[in-house]
Amino acid sequence: MKAVLRFLIRALVLLLSAVMTYLVVAVMLSLIPVNQKPQVSEGIEIYIRSNGVHLQVVLPVENPIKDWSEEITIDKRIAGRVRYISFGWGDKNFYYHTPEWSDLTFATTFKALMLKSPSLMHIDFYASVPEGRLCKQLLISREQYLEMVDFVDAAFQRDSLNHLIPVDDLHYNPTDRFYEARGNYHLFYTCNTWTNSCLKSAGLLACLWTPFDRGILWHYRKQS
């Protein structure tokens, strides 16, 4: 019995040590910026927007470079008002079982972080995107926008006809959309790591590495 107790205590200490190491490294690397070039004074308007945990990129629905409505279905009830479209890559199981943060369970969190899980792309639509503590407007060049479009586009799975693959049985509101995505969600590549990588792909200010949203937002507030 004593041997079992000693084993459990050691396992608990190792687990807590691993968690603390992960958090410390995550915070430290989140504080290290990359691509510190100043924003352009005129350009394409995009946003980075967080719901408090999950950071998304928000892009124009349509411009001369890309018309997302050619592949992504926009509900007819809002089509005439929509100007922006948000992209949030994340864990498939998490999206299905956590429509509200109050639905979050230990089992869902453990599976998302500790196992290599399939992913989905969550799409939502906006007539306007008000700036605030959790939302930052960026002006980027045409070249940067092209890189960002390529990165986002490459995150979608496609069928044999090269069409996006919708997930029709999952919605968080009457007009949002989910699509099958490429890549696996895990401890070292989270929804916010994906968004951070999206910013990096366009040469925009980003964290060296982060699993969280706050480091990215902190860098942009600091730059303002």
Side-chain angles (χ1 to χ4, degrees):
M1 188 66 181
K2 288 182 179 180
V4 172
L5 184 60
R6 283 197 298 270
F7 172 80
L8 291 175
I9 291 172
R10 287 175 183 171
L12 180 60
V13 169
L14 286 173
L15 177 61
L16 292 174
S17 297
V19 170
M20 288 303 299
T21 299
Y22 176 85
L23 292 174
V24 168
V25 170
V27 170
M28 289 177 62
L29 296 184
S30 293
L31 293 175
I32 301 173
V34 296
N35 302 330
Q36 298 186 65
K37 295 176 290 186
Q39 293 184 51
V40 297
S41 56
E42 294 183 3
I44 298 170
E45 183 182 285
I46 70 163
Y47 295 84
I48 51 173
R49 182 179 183 275
S50 175
N51 64 3
V53 178
H54 183 176
L55 194 67
Q56 304 168 328
V57 292
V58 186
L59 307 179
V61 168
E62 178 186 358
N63 63 19
I65 296 172
K66 179 72 173 181
D67 183 355
W68 292 104
S69 66
E70 291 179 350
E71 294 190 287
I72 293 172
T73 302
I74 303 177
D75 191 287
K76 292 180 181 179
R77 292 170 291 178
I78 62 170
R81 305 191 306 272
V82 167
R83 292 183 58 209
Y84 299 96
I85 181 170
S86 68
F87 299 87
W89 180 95
D91 176 68
K92 187 172 188 176
N93 180 66
F94 194 95
Y95 276 135
Y96 264 102
H97 295 100
T98 318
E100 302 286 345
W101 291 114
S102 58
D103 299 315
L104 183 63
T105 65
F106 174 80
T108 300
T109 304
F110 181 86
K111 184 175 181 180
L113 293 176
M114 304 307 294
L115 303 177
K116 280 193 170 184
S117 307
S119 58
L120 296 178
M121 186 71 78
H122 182 210
I123 305 293
D124 216 339
F125 307 96
Y126 302 92
S128 62
V129 189
E131 281 196 278
R133 187 175 61 87
L134 298 179
C135 183
K136 175 67 178 175
Q137 181 197 78
L138 311 180
L139 293 176
I140 66 175
S141 69
R142 183 180 186 278
E143 291 72 23
Q144 288 173 319
Y145 188 71
L146 280 167
E147 294 291 341
M148 184 169 283
V149 164
D150 286 345
F151 183 91
V152 172
D153 197 57
F156 287 94
Q157 280 193 47
R158 294 178 179 272
D159 62 20
S160 59
L161 298 176
N162 203 37
H163 297 150
L164 304 187
I165 305 171
V167 180
D168 293 326
D169 64 341
L170 179 60
H171 292 278
Y172 284 177
N173 63 61
T175 59
D176 69 339
R177 302 282 295 173
F178 282 88
Y179 289 87
E180 297 287 351
R182 297 179 185 273
N184 298 107
Y185 187 106
H186 54 79
L187 189 63
F188 300 104
Y189 200 85
T190 70
C191 50
N192 297 309
T193 311
W194 180 86
T195 302
N196 192 60
S197 297
C198 184
L199 294 170
K200 282 183 179 180
S201 73
L204 297 170
L205 176 64
C207 303
L208 182 60
W209 174 78
T210 185
F212 309 124
D213 64 336
R214 299 307 169 96
I216 301 170
L217 291 168
W218 178 79
H219 285 299
Y220 278 97
R221 285 196 296 268
K222 185 180 175 183
Q223 188 187 60
S224 299

